[in-house]
Amino acid sequence: MGFCRRYRSGWARRIPVILRNGLALGACVGLAGTSVTLAVWPLLPHLSQPPEVLAIMFPYWVAISVLMVPFAILTVFKSAFEAVNRPWLGTGFAFLAVIINIPLNYALIWGGGPLPQLGLTGAGIGSLVAEALALLSACVFWRRAKSMRRLRLRAALSQAEMASVGPRQVR
């Protein structure tokens, strides 16, 4: 059964349940990714990384690791927007992160106005802030847009539902 037929046949009522559980799962996946990436840090000296690189890389590594949380949650929103036939919304929020990231990275790497020159650390912080702002924008849109009302229905978190989220539902 194609998506359009499923959508018209009432399958769309499950999207708020899937979204709520997907958001929780996205947060868990992002936190797991952050944890694994941070756990890999002590292995880098054993992978022939130059000490001068490692000396300046840790704050950047932490920022990029933490970036996985808003990225994973934003990916869930992107999928939900696609599920309700609004694929450009998710793409727009992802592109917003890029639009914010470019000037913010430049300003934090090289310093600009009141912002200090942070070098590589500034690139990590800028990327994290840009992704978090894009996620915040998607959340605000989801909470306020009339067209998203059907996605805001209350739904309980369910481990069984989280386990079922994935390609099997699309069939």
Side-chain angles (χ1 to χ4, degrees), residues 56 59-60 104-111 116-126:
I56 63 169
Y60 173 81
L104 190 55
N105 269 0
Y106 183 85
L108 289 173
I109 290 169
W110 301 107
Q117 183 176 353
L118 298 175
L120 184 61
T121 300
I125 292 170

Side-chain angles (χ1 to χ4, degrees), residues 10-92:
W11 187 80
R13 287 183 298 233
R14 292 207 9 87
I15 293 175
V17 175
I18 294 167
L19 175 59
R20 182 157 312 256
N21 285 282
L23 290 172
L25 185 59
C28 291
V29 167
L31 288 169
T34 296
S35 299
V36 168
T37 305
L38 290 173
V40 168
W41 175 259
L43 301 176
L44 292 181
H46 306 293
L47 298 173
S48 302
Q49 296 302 309
E52 59 274 6
V53 171
L54 292 174
I56 63 169
M57 198 169 113
F58 185 70
Y60 173 81
W61 190 268
V62 170
I64 294 302
S65 298
V66 173
L67 181 139
M68 290 185 197
V69 175
F71 176 80
I73 296 169
L74 188 58
T75 301
V76 173
F77 272 120
K78 185 178 182 303
S79 297
F81 295 146
E82 289 172 0
V84 294
N85 204 23
R86 300 203 179 214
W88 291 107
L89 279 174
T91 302

